[in-house]
């Protein structure tokens, strides 16, 4: 079936929902770990407390992807029910999160919050592949990268601006935490509602509907479908999995340690030695992370042209190298304003990570399996995260002197390795001119 070419603004509207999903994810990156710190966690406990995200991603996204491949409702569509349910769950958890009175309450809510994010995420990736033809898919995926940067920018800027407005504490947490998370709840459900309202899904043919009905196999069918898809997975996806091992391990090292690294390098403080200085570091980290997300949405569309001209893998490798240089410089900077120059590299890398890898694989997978393969790509993301959560606490404590600055350097080295492996990816179909 030929897909109708969409205008720029139609592609914009269909991806607005990604803004809310990524606002929520931005809070997970920048606000959850400081909340753990405020509630008394030690640096080596943080990786295990972050285990919720990757475990729920490993379990939820491929199953949801497989289910959405086999779903069709004349009114609600194929992918839309999943991002609506996911966004609703996210909004409820964001409303509840600031009321966390203990580490384990916060960790438990993070599990539910991430389940909601994961329920929405991969059907949204498949939604772009469903709706857009081959020529427009690069723009569609990089539009999601744009909204990733935009949503996470707002989340991180809220960590800088709201402490200036909402002063003091409410319960065991600073009052600004409540404002940031309540705004996230509104963005999550509101942006998804906008995309659902403005964008229709392409109905499957009668043959496709008949195939869906014949292939439904009860409770175990999604698991069987995932298993078969992994067995038949194109070689390019295995190659990308190796890149992702280093890439996503590195990113979790950064997100878990960025505020504590800035606190040490700029304020010579830790959460325990000087809580007031650490709160300033958390606020400044929000601004720094907000900047890298601004860079992300500024360069996202630029990378589309480079990917078409030079090839997706070369663009992604270059972006990983640039991000690595920024990470290697980051922990040695004592002037808080100079941090923006270092983190610009990560902003460029993040713009690529959110869109370019999908261009390497989307033409190599069958359209009737878009959902399940997008879920499997997420497995390739969360398995390194689980590995990081289980191993990095030990590495940080015994080999890196429990120093968060060393964790950022470690992340930079891993991004360099990921960039090298990207250059060895061989895809039969690459996005080029």
């Amino acid at each position: 079936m030929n897909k109708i070419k969409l205008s720029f603004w139609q592609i914009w509207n269909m991806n607005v929902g990604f803004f809310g999903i990524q606002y929520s994810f931005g809070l997970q990156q920048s606000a959850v770990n400081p909340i753990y710190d405020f509630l008394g966690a030690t640096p080596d406990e943080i990786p295990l407390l972050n285990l919720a995200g990757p475990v729920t991603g490993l379990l939820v996204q491929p199953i949801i992807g497989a289910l959405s491949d086999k779903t069709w409702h004349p009114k609600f569509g194929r992918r839309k029910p999943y991002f609506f349910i996911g966004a609703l769950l996210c909004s409820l958890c964001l409303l509840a999160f600031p009321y966390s009175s203990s580490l384990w309450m916060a960790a438990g809510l993070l599990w539910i919050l991430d389940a909601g994010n994961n329920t929405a995420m991969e059907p949204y990736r498949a939604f772009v592949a469903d709706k857009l033809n081959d020529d427009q898919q690069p723009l569609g995926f990089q539009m999601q990268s744009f909204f990733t940067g935009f949503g996470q920018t707002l989340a991180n800027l809220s960590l800088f601006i709201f402490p200036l407005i909402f002063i003091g504490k409410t319960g065991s947490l600073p009052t600004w935490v409540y404002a940031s998370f309540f705004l996230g709840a509104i963005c999550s459900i509101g942006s998804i509602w906008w995309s659902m309202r403005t964008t229709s899904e392409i109905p499957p043919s009668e043959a496709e509907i008949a195939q869906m009905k014949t292939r439904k196999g009860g409770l175990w069918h999604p698991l069987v479908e995932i298993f078969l898809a992994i067995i038949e997975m194109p070689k390019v996806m295995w190659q990308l999995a190796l890149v992702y091992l280093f890439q996503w391990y590195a990113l979790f090292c950064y997100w878990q340690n960025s505020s504590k690294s800035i606190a040490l390098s700029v304020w010579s403080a830790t959460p325990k030695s000087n809580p007031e200085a650490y709160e300033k570091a958390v606020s400044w980290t929000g601004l720094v992370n907000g900047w890298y997300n601004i860079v992300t949405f500024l360069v996202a569309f630029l990378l589309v042209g480079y990917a078409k001209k030079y090839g997706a893998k070369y663009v992604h490798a270059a972006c990983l190298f640039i991000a690595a240089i920024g990470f290697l410089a980051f922990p040695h900077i004592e002037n808080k304003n100079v941090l923006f120059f270092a983190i610009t590299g990560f902003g460029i890398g993040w713009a690529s990570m959110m869109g370019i890898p999908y261009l390497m694989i989307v033409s190599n997978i069958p359209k009737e399996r878009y959902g399940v393969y997008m879920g499997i790509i997420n497995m390739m993301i969360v398995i390194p995260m689980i590995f990081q959560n289980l191993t990095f606490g030990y590495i940080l404590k015994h080999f890196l002197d429990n120093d968060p600055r060393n964790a950022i350097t470690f992340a930079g080295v891993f991004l360099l390795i990921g960039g090298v492996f990207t250059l060895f990816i061989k895809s039969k179909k690459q996005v080029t001119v």
Side-chain angles (χ1 to χ4, degrees):
M1 162 176 197
N2 293 327
K3 300 174 184 177
I4 299 172
K5 188 172 183 177
L6 302 184
S7 70
F8 176 89
W9 293 112
Q10 286 174 314
I11 298 173
W12 174 281
N13 283 332
M14 73 181 288
N15 284 297
V16 163
F18 224 68
F19 165 76
I21 295 170
Q22 293 301 324
Y23 184 105
S24 176
F25 190 54
L27 288 178
Q28 286 181 239
Q29 289 177 2
S30 298
V32 168
N33 288 314
I35 287 173
Y36 287 153
D37 293 329
F38 290 135
L39 293 173
T42 59
D44 54 283
E45 290 177 327
I46 295 295
L48 281 176
L49 289 168
N50 277 273
L51 194 60
V55 169
T56 54
L58 180 65
L59 297 174
V60 171
Q61 285 203 18
I63 292 174
I64 293 297
L67 287 172
S68 70
D69 282 340
K70 309 303 176 196
T71 297
W72 177 254
H73 188 280
K75 182 176 180 180
F76 301 112
R78 171 178 285 176
R79 316 293 183 184
K80 287 182 181 180
Y82 297 95
F83 22 103
F84 177 76
I85 292 169
L88 185 60
L89 192 58
C90 284
S91 293
L92 293 173
C93 287
L94 289 169
L95 290 172
F97 208 101
Y99 295 97
S100 298
S101 57
S102 67
L103 274 175
W104 296 110
M105 180 179 175
L109 280 170
L110 181 60
W111 280 81
I112 303 170
L113 174 63
D114 215 81
N117 266 336
N118 283 305
T119 299
M121 183 80 73
E122 288 322 297
Y124 222 125
R125 298 284 192 192
F127 185 44
V128 169
D130 290 339
K131 188 79 176 174
L132 300 179
N133 59 37
D134 291 346
D135 290 339
Q136 292 196 305
Q137 282 176 357
L139 177 59
F141 284 121
Q142 285 306 109
M143 186 76 78
Q144 291 190 343
S145 182
F146 171 86
F147 279 115
T148 294
F150 190 36
Q152 293 186 18
T153 294
L154 183 59
N156 283 288
L157 287 179
S158 76
L159 305 189
F160 178 77
I161 296 171
F162 286 172
L164 304 176
I165 303 171
F166 303 98
I167 300 169
K169 286 193 173 183
T170 302
S172 56
L173 296 175
T175 304
W176 60 261
V177 171
Y178 292 78
S180 293
F181 278 76
F182 290 172
L183 178 59
I186 295 169
C187 291
S188 181
I189 195 67
S191 63
I192 287 288
W193 171 83
W194 179 266
S195 287
M196 292 179 66
R197 179 178 175 274
T198 58
T199 309
S200 61
E201 294 195 65
I202 299 175
S205 65
E206 292 184 7
E208 288 172 327
I209 292 174
Q211 188 180 38
M212 288 180 197
K213 292 178 179 179
T214 58
R215 294 187 66 180
K216 286 181 179 177
L219 180 65
W220 296 105
H221 177 72
L223 299 177
V224 173
E225 182 68 21
I226 294 164
F227 179 73
L228 291 175
I230 291 172
I231 291 175
E232 299 167 9
M233 196 161 73
K235 183 179 178 181
V236 65
M237 289 185 66
W238 291 107
Q239 295 170 324
L240 185 62
L242 182 60
V243 174
Y244 274 12
L245 172 63
F246 292 95
Q247 173 182 303
W248 289 98
Y249 195 110
L251 297 197
F252 249 39
C253 292
Y254 172 77
W255 290 325
Q256 290 167 5
N257 293 279
S258 55
S259 59
K260 290 187 284 292
S261 175
I262 290 175
L264 280 170
S265 64
V266 177
W267 280 275
S268 300
T270 67
K272 291 184 178 179
S273 71
N274 192 338
E276 291 180 358
Y278 179 62
E279 195 165 335
K280 291 180 182 177
V282 171
S283 179
W284 196 257
T285 303
L287 201 59
V288 169
N289 287 348
W291 172 249
Y292 87 66
N293 282 291
I294 289 172
V295 173
T296 293
F297 72 73
L298 289 176
V299 306
F301 297 134
L302 189 63
L303 294 184
V304 176
Y306 284 133
K308 288 183 176 181
K309 186 174 182 180
Y310 299 110
K313 76 172 184 179
Y314 295 110
V315 170
H316 191 58
C319 290
L320 289 183
F321 292 143
I322 293 169
I325 293 168
F327 275 3
L328 293 172
F330 193 88
H332 303 288
I333 296 171
E334 297 179 359
N335 184 325
K336 64 181 182 180
N337 296 309
V338 180
L339 290 166
F340 293 102
F341 292 98
I343 208 63
T344 295
F346 182 39
I348 295 169
W350 189 233
S352 180
M353 293 172 202
M354 289 291 96
I356 298 298
Y358 295 91
L359 304 182
M360 297 184 224
I361 58 92
V362 70
S363 297
N364 293 266
I365 57 179
K367 65 181 181 66
E368 65 273 10
R369 278 182 162 176
Y370 279 155
V372 69
Y373 274 122
M374 293 300 172
I376 289 171
I377 290 173
N378 189 68
M379 292 174 68
M380 291 155 43
I381 293 171
V382 299
I383 288 172
M385 289 182 174
I386 293 171
F387 185 50
Q388 191 271 354
N389 286 324
L390 294 175
T391 62
F392 193 67
Y394 183 87
I395 293 170
L396 183 61
K397 187 174 183 178
H398 293 91
F399 297 101
L400 301 178
D401 200 29
N402 234 358
D403 190 326
R405 294 168 294 187
N406 293 335
I408 307 298
T409 301
F410 188 91
V413 172
F414 263 41
L415 284 184
L416 286 175
I417 296 171
V420 170
F421 280 121
T422 302
L423 295 173
F424 290 94
I425 290 178
K426 293 182 179 179
S427 175
K428 292 180 181 178
K429 301 174 183 177
Q430 285 274 345
V431 177
T432 55
V433 173

